């Protein structure tokens, strides 16, 4: 059973969420409110697994609610349901489960919620990765990997705490990074979308990717940027 909280200042949109979700057997709506300040107080006292919230609301925005969840390390996943596409890139920074644009279909909403089960299953995996290089073996946290680049016979792993080298191929490393945050953005790069800051057009078919926590950049093909946009918009 997934325990869900709903927040939207528009009565019609809140009612739509309730109408769709109350028919799902595996879902329990713990609270539904059009007042973001009320939602803030409920997050402090009520146990939920998933928060579905609008972004632009009076007094407290959906971002502020999500920031409260992350700052306090609450075990709550976030789905943004909004009428504005411009916030999607910033949403990556908060590691949201999904970003759904209004108007949406029942199927699109449930697709986002079903990701919750996949994410929970991924928690069963080890959080660490073993990197072998010459006579050294390093254990690094997967969540701290920003991107991975293959150059010649060597692979560089750029993380929040520094860079590591290995002879392991992208294919070998990719098989250990099954979390949906990691994508093959280019034949020579694996990218953690949580740390993407922005894209700069490089050629007609590719973009330079800029990240938080490092000045290093990666490459992503135009096709993969469009696919990323499709999955999160």
């Amino acid at each position: 059973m997934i325990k869900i909280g709903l927040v939207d200042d528009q009565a019609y949109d809140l009612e739509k969420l309730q109408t769709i979700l109350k028919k799902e057997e595996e879902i329990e709506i713990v609270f539904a409110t059009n007042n973001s300040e009320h939602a803030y107080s409920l997050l402090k006292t009520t146990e939920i697994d998933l928060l579905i919230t609008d972004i632009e609301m009076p007094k407290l925005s959906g971002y502020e609610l999500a920031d409260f969840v992350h700052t306090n390390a609450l075990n709550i996943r976030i789905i943004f349901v909004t009428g504005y596409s411009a916030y999607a890139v910033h949403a990556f920074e908060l590691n949201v489960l999904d970003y759904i644009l209004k108007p949406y279909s029942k199927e699109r909403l449930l697709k986002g919620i079903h990701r919750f089960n996949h994410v929970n299953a991924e928690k069963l995996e080890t959080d660490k990765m073993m990197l072998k290089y010459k006579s050294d073996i390093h254990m690094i946290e997967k969540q701290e990997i920003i991107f991975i680049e293959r150059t010649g016979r060597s692979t560089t792993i750029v993380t929040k705490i520094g860079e590591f080298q290995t002879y392991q191929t992208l294919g070998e490393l990719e098989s250990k990074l099954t979390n949906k945050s990691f994508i093959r953005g280019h034949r020579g790069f694996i990218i953690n979308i949580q740390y993407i800051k922005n894209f700069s057009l490089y050629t007609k078919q590719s973009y330079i990717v800029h990240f938080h926590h490092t000045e290093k950049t990666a490459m992503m093909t135009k096709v993969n940027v469009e696919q990323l946009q499709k999955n999160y918009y």
Side-chain angles (χ1 to χ4, degrees):
M1 184 70 70
I2 305 174
K3 297 181 179 180
I4 295 181
L6 306 175
V7 191
D8 199 308
D9 63 312
Q10 299 297 318
Y12 170 80
D13 290 329
L14 185 63
E15 183 179 352
K16 178 180 179 180
L17 286 170
Q18 290 176 281
T19 300
I20 293 174
L21 298 180
K22 68 183 182 182
K23 298 178 182 178
E24 301 299 313
E25 293 182 356
E26 77 278 12
I27 290 173
E28 175 188 351
I29 300 175
V30 177
F31 67 79
T33 179
N34 56 19
N35 186 315
S36 57
E37 287 189 322
H38 184 212
Y40 178 79
S41 64
L42 288 170
L43 288 172
K44 296 178 181 180
T45 59
T46 308
E47 183 178 334
I48 61 171
D49 304 306
L50 177 63
L51 178 69
I52 302 178
T53 178
D54 193 5
I55 293 179
E56 286 201 347
M57 297 182 288
K59 298 180 180 178
L60 287 177
S61 70
Y63 278 133
E64 289 172 300
L65 294 178
D67 185 61
F68 171 77
V69 168
H70 288 280
T71 300
N72 291 275
L74 301 180
N75 189 25
I76 299 173
R77 290 285 176 170
I78 310 289
I79 290 179
F80 284 138
V81 179
T82 177
Y84 302 92
S85 63
Y87 300 119
V89 173
H90 181 45
F92 292 141
E93 300 173 24
L94 295 172
N95 192 26
V96 300
L97 189 65
D98 204 352
Y99 189 100
I100 301 174
L101 273 181
K102 301 173 183 179
Y104 55 85
S105 65
K106 171 184 176 181
E107 290 72 24
R108 178 66 185 89
L109 178 63
L110 294 180
K111 178 183 177 182
I113 293 175
H114 290 157
R115 288 184 179 179
F116 178 86
N117 292 324
H118 292 299
V119 169
N120 275 6
E122 288 166 357
K123 288 181 180 178
L124 299 176
E125 301 177 12
T126 176
D127 292 328
K128 293 183 181 292
M129 174 182 284
M130 179 183 292
L131 296 177
K132 301 177 182 178
Y133 185 64
K134 296 182 179 179
S135 60
D136 295 329
I137 297 177
H138 295 281
M139 299 297 294
I140 65 173
E141 297 283 346
K142 292 180 182 179
Q143 64 182 5
E144 293 192 340
I145 297 174
I146 299 173
F147 72 90
I148 304 173
E149 178 180 7
R150 181 72 174 180
T151 307
R153 295 178 58 248
S154 178
T155 302
T156 301
I157 296 89
V158 179
T159 78
K160 291 172 64 177
I161 61 172
E163 297 182 19
F164 300 87
Q165 302 293 321
T166 181
Y167 291 125
Q168 292 164 266
T169 67
L170 288 187
E172 291 172 328
L173 297 177
E174 190 174 28
S175 67
K176 301 173 184 177
L177 297 170
T178 56
N179 187 294
K180 295 182 185 297
S181 295
F182 292 96
I183 64 171
R184 181 72 78 94
H186 185 278
R187 67 187 180 198
F189 293 90
I190 297 173
I191 291 170
N192 187 343
I193 63 174
Q194 295 183 48
Y195 296 110
I196 293 176
K197 181 164 59 176
N198 65 276
F199 302 95
S200 299
L201 186 64
Y202 182 63
T203 69
K204 290 184 178 180
Q205 300 302 322
S206 63
Y207 287 83
I208 295 175
V209 187
H210 302 270
F211 301 94
H212 296 280
H213 305 295
T214 181
E215 295 299 319
K216 300 279 187 176
T217 59
M219 298 290 295
M220 186 177 288
T221 66
K222 180 181 179 182
V223 170
N224 285 329
V225 171
E226 291 173 348
Q227 189 63 35
L228 183 64
Q229 183 181 34
K230 178 180 177 182
N231 288 340
Y232 279 85
Y233 275 59

